[in-house]
Amino acid sequence: MDDLYKIISEVFEIDLNDINDELGPNGIETWDSLGQLRLISALEAHYKVTFEIAEIFEIFKIKDIVKLLKKRGLI
């Protein structure tokens, strides 16, 4: 999960120590629709995967990304 948190830190320009699984758009100022696209793009590039549209719309918090990556066997 260190890679995931690092990606989130870089995409949203926040301190790595401020990241936890309960964070989402309400807790990260730069997590808007464009931020969501940047995050998905960074995740797809890093994990060499393409997410389905339905999967992307299930992401509301970091824990949802963790769940998705685990489901795909990527973490």
Side-chain angles (χ1 to χ4, degrees):
M1 281 215 299
D2 290 341
D3 287 347
L4 172 59
Y5 281 18
K6 186 176 179 189
I7 292 167
I8 292 166
S9 172
E10 291 172 0
V11 167
F12 295 125
E13 299 176 349
I14 59 174
D15 190 280
L16 197 56
N17 296 318
D18 293 336
I19 298 172
N20 66 67
D21 285 353
E22 292 301 318
L23 276 178
N26 293 335
I28 301 175
E29 187 176 317
T30 54
W31 190 338
D32 54 14
S33 56
L34 180 57
Q36 178 91 353
L37 289 174
R38 290 191 345 255
L39 176 60
I40 296 302
S41 178
L43 292 170
E44 289 180 332
H46 179 81
Y47 291 103
K48 296 177 178 48
V49 66
T50 301
F51 295 114
E52 302 294 328
I53 297 294
E55 293 174 319
I56 294 169
F57 283 116
E58 292 175 0
I59 298 172
F60 299 101
K61 294 184 178 187
I62 293 172
K63 69 180 179 182
D64 299 324
I65 299 169
V66 171
K67 181 179 172 184
L68 176 59
L69 294 174
K70 283 183 179 179
K71 181 176 128 184
R72 291 285 195 105
L74 298 170
I75 58 171

